[in-house]
Amino acid sequence: MSERVGAPHVGAPDPEKRNSPIVEETAEDFEVVEQELGESPVCYFNGKNYADKSMVCSGDELLRCERGQWLRLGSCDPDNP
């Protein structure tokens, strides 16, 4: 079963609402952002909070909440992972 199944579609980030940073797991910024945020148990997307390890689809991008920041996991399109 695909991890994409059941991930809510949340649209694009609204700059007027609270959003946690979206990072690449391999990005050098990941550790810097993690240190700045601490180990937050939630991520925010358009003002709504999501528990750690929750997944959402923003456009066609699959994101997972990891300690207060969103990690890009790939595509939400089941035909084009």
Side-chain angles (χ1 to χ4, degrees), residues 4-79:
R4 293 162 190 77
V5 174
H9 288 267
V10 294
D14 181 343
E16 299 293 320
K17 296 182 179 174
R18 185 173 182 182
N19 290 290
S20 298
I22 299 173
V23 298
E24 300 286 342
E25 189 168 18
T26 58
E28 295 174 12
D29 294 342
F30 180 76
E31 290 182 13
V32 173
V33 172
E34 184 178 43
Q35 289 173 356
E36 290 175 5
L37 293 173
E39 291 197 16
S40 176
V42 299
C43 294
Y44 291 89
F45 202 99
N46 291 341
K48 184 175 178 185
N49 65 342
Y50 295 86
D52 195 46
K53 307 294 185 210
S54 294
M55 289 186 279
V56 299
C57 289
S58 175
D60 66 352
E61 195 168 53
L62 181 64
L63 307 172
R64 182 179 67 217
C65 177
E66 286 289 333
R67 300 181 308 270
Q69 54 193 332
W70 294 106
L71 293 183
R72 290 184 172 104
L73 297 181
S75 174
C76 282
D77 182 352
D79 297 328

